[in-house]
Amino acid sequence: MPAVSPFDVAGLGASAIDLVYVLPAYPRPEGQFSKLQVQSHAVSAGGQTATAMAGCAALGLRAAFMGFTGNDAHGAFIRGELTGRGVDISRASMADAPQPYSIILLAEGEPERIVLWSRDERASLRDVRVDPSLFSVLHVDDVDSEAAVAAAKVARDAGRLVTTDIDRITDRTRTLIELATHPVLAEHVPAAVTGEADLERGLRALRALNPGPIVVTLGPRGAIALEGDELIEAPGFRVDAVDTTGAGDVFRAGYITALVEQMPLRDALRFANAAAAISCTRRGAMASVPARKEVERALSPEP
């Protein structure tokens, strides 16, 4: 890892405005739940990589967001939120397109959410040039997979660490897993890539693509990782969850922070799990990002 860089981590990927609606129950096409009154609504900043960078900044890293923001009021809102949270946006791109947005439906008493999203094609990242002297870690998602692959290759060739947020399966998924030094995958990805339904066998099959540590997030069950031949299981933290929006992004923020601080992998997963669990106790993506002291308190043994 480079001794000195302006940023500990740079994120290349998605940002989004989240339009959050809290309902008494999830809608159904027929019956009493076919028409529901909105109990509350809010506008929140989100998006995989933008939220991860906000999380990194809250946990003490020098973070930069190098993804796309829109040229409308929602784009200005995202830029203001990132800047206010200490994330550098001087290298973020702004094209002639509206800010991508998500409609997030939450039902009272149900922490899992339904996400509907919209994104103008003009919001895609293209012809991205990444300067690896600016960061120690590059974090990419799979929203614009070609841009992610190109940036990951530049960073990897320069000896930087590369982390991922891989949730979708595309024709570039395998390449992105290969290029990352520390791939982080959603639970369904190993089976989709390898054809192995068993998670451990799927992880071990991914060893053919990547010799480094491979992490899989498991939602409230925590995370699992393969380091060398050792399978490491890190249970999740028990919390009263109200909204899981952004929890995976916050997990990645915690994991990146642990990498920068050179924590052992088992400790890194526990740190990331704690951060993600805290984020589930409040609503919103960036709005749920925990402070460093909150994570440390969760990790401290009870007196």
Side-chain angles (χ1 to χ4, degrees), residues 85-132:
R85 295 173 184 277
V87 179
D88 183 277
I89 62 168
S90 61
R91 293 163 183 84
S93 60
M94 183 171 63
D96 184 19
Q99 177 67 41
Y101 69 89
S102 298
I103 297 172
I104 297 177
L105 304 181
L106 288 168
E108 283 292 351
E110 297 282 348
E112 298 296 335
R113 78 281 190 241
I114 294 173
V115 179
L116 313 173
W117 59 271
S118 178
R119 184 170 185 258
D120 192 303
E121 278 302 309
R122 293 173 295 168
S124 300
L125 290 167
R126 299 184 179 91
D127 302 321
V128 174
R129 288 180 172 81
V130 172
D131 180 357

Side-chain angles (χ1 to χ4, degrees), residues 171-201:
D171 59 358
R172 303 299 272 160
T173 300
R174 295 175 69 90
T175 302
L176 199 51
I177 294 173
E178 288 176 329
L179 287 171
T181 61
H182 294 75
V184 183
L185 318 175
E187 185 174 2
H188 65 274
V189 172
V193 172
T194 68
E196 291 282 359
D198 179 78
L199 181 55
E200 179 177 348
R201 286 200 299 269

